[in-house]
Amino acid sequence: MPETTIDSTQLSGLELLRTAMTMPDRPPFIGDLVGMEIEELEHGRVVFALRTRPDFANPLGTTHGGICATLLDSVMGCAVHTTLEAGVGYTTLELKINYIRAVPVDGQRLTATGSTIHVGRTTATAEGRVIDEQSRLVAHATTTCAIFRGSR
């Protein structure tokens, strides 16, 4: 079954994300690979969650740091995206992550929150946090994104 296409030139970033994530035949996204669930999509703030699983393991048997990195890059980038006008794109320029604690691969629910700090004409910055089921900080990060406004 072909995916429905969305005209990103007609929808703001927030409208595009809300539309895409609620479509029954929505376009695929990185979250499908790791089982991300979208919990909140607001202007400048998003919340995604997932459950750890055995195939997320690093050689030490705990959740690989790339899982938190993917969560953080996703929530921070999408937080920036929610603030952009129709037809405006972005990409991650820089991602800085601090890992605080190891997470088991036994189905722990990790929740990531991303919030914008600054959205300018050509760059944006955002911050993110991942917490576990006990509300303990697992990792936190910042990002810088390039904004592509085209010729106006």
Side-chain angles (χ1 to χ4, degrees):
M1 175 186 299
E3 294 104 22
T4 303
T5 58
I6 301 170
D7 184 356
S8 63
T9 64
Q10 300 299 310
L11 299 174
S12 71
L14 180 57
E15 292 167 334
L16 185 141
L17 287 171
R18 284 182 174 166
T19 299
M21 295 306 166
T22 58
M23 295 169 58
D25 57 345
R26 68 170 170 71
F29 81 115
I30 188 69
D32 294 336
L33 290 175
V34 293
M36 273 187 221
E37 300 169 9
I38 288 63
E39 293 192 350
E40 182 180 326
L41 290 170
E42 299 299 333
H43 187 270
R45 177 184 154 85
V46 302
V47 180
F48 296 170
L50 60 73
R51 290 208 174 270
T52 63
R53 56 189 200 226
D55 60 333
F56 290 175
N58 61 27
L60 299 173
T62 58
T63 299
H64 189 281
I67 298 300
C68 282
T70 299
L71 261 173
L72 287 162
D73 189 38
S74 297
V75 296
M76 292 185 300
C78 286
V80 168
H81 196 177
T82 64
T83 68
L84 302 178
E85 303 86 22
V88 177
Y90 74 97
T91 192
T92 300
L93 284 176
E94 179 267 343
L95 178 65
K96 163 63 169 93
I97 302 172
N98 292 287
Y99 296 98
I100 306 303
R101 70 178 74 249
V103 178
V105 293
D106 63 354
Q108 288 284 316
R109 185 171 178 79
L110 297 179
T111 303
T113 302
S115 303
T116 56
I117 298 170
H118 167 78
V119 180
R121 178 152 178 75
T122 59
T123 61
T125 57
E127 60 191 358
R129 297 170 54 91
V130 176
I131 59 170
D132 65 14
E133 291 176 336
Q134 293 78 39
S135 297
R136 297 178 300 183
L137 185 64
V138 170
H140 60 96
T142 55
T143 192
T144 303
C145 295
I147 298 175
F148 306 114
R149 295 191 184 274
S151 57
R152 288 188 178 197

